[in-house]
Amino acid sequence: MHDRGVNRDDVRRWVDRYERAWRTAGTAMVADLFTDDATYTVSPWAEPLRGLAAIGELWEAERDGPDEPFTMRSEVVAVEGDTAVVRTEVEYDVGRSGPWRDLWVLRFDDGGRCRAFEEWPFAPAQSDGH
């Protein structure tokens, strides 16, 4: 990491590790991605989960397992200081609604682990608030 935060390459590597962790059995890799006291917010309306145990429990509950077939594409939209915005698109091969498009707002610590993850997920059939 850099004295003034993260850069696009740092964020791209973090997103790649996030996807690899999602595809890996168990939740041990969560600690490589997130700080011990990280917050993880699954929508702009949800209360943030706090800490590695809560994030690991969410991952285990939300995914069908590490073999869950999906395609993920992402683009780093903006980076300033310790904060990044990433646009992702996920298409599940079976059994899930979608495709999903997300904006992630990520805040990093000096070591490159995420200390705050905020997700803005949208699917075609989802109400957009109107």
Side-chain angles (χ1 to χ4, degrees), residues 36-80:
D36 294 345
D37 61 347
T39 59
Y40 194 108
T41 308
V42 297
S43 86
W45 314 114
E47 286 295 317
L49 300 169
R50 295 186 187 281
L52 295 176
I55 295 168
E57 288 174 18
L58 171 74
W59 279 31
E60 286 299 326
E62 289 296 314
R63 65 182 178 178
D64 289 341
D67 298 336
E68 178 178 48
F70 68 90
T71 302
M72 180 175 148
R73 289 177 295 285
S74 63
E75 171 192 5
V76 178
V77 175
V79 177
E80 185 166 329

Side-chain angles (χ1 to χ4, degrees), residues 83-103:
T83 303
V85 177
V86 177
R87 179 185 298 124
T88 64
E89 185 168 335
V90 177
E91 292 189 49
Y92 292 94
D93 293 351
V94 292
R96 293 258 190 141
S97 63
W100 287 91
R101 291 188 178 159
D102 288 302
L103 288 178

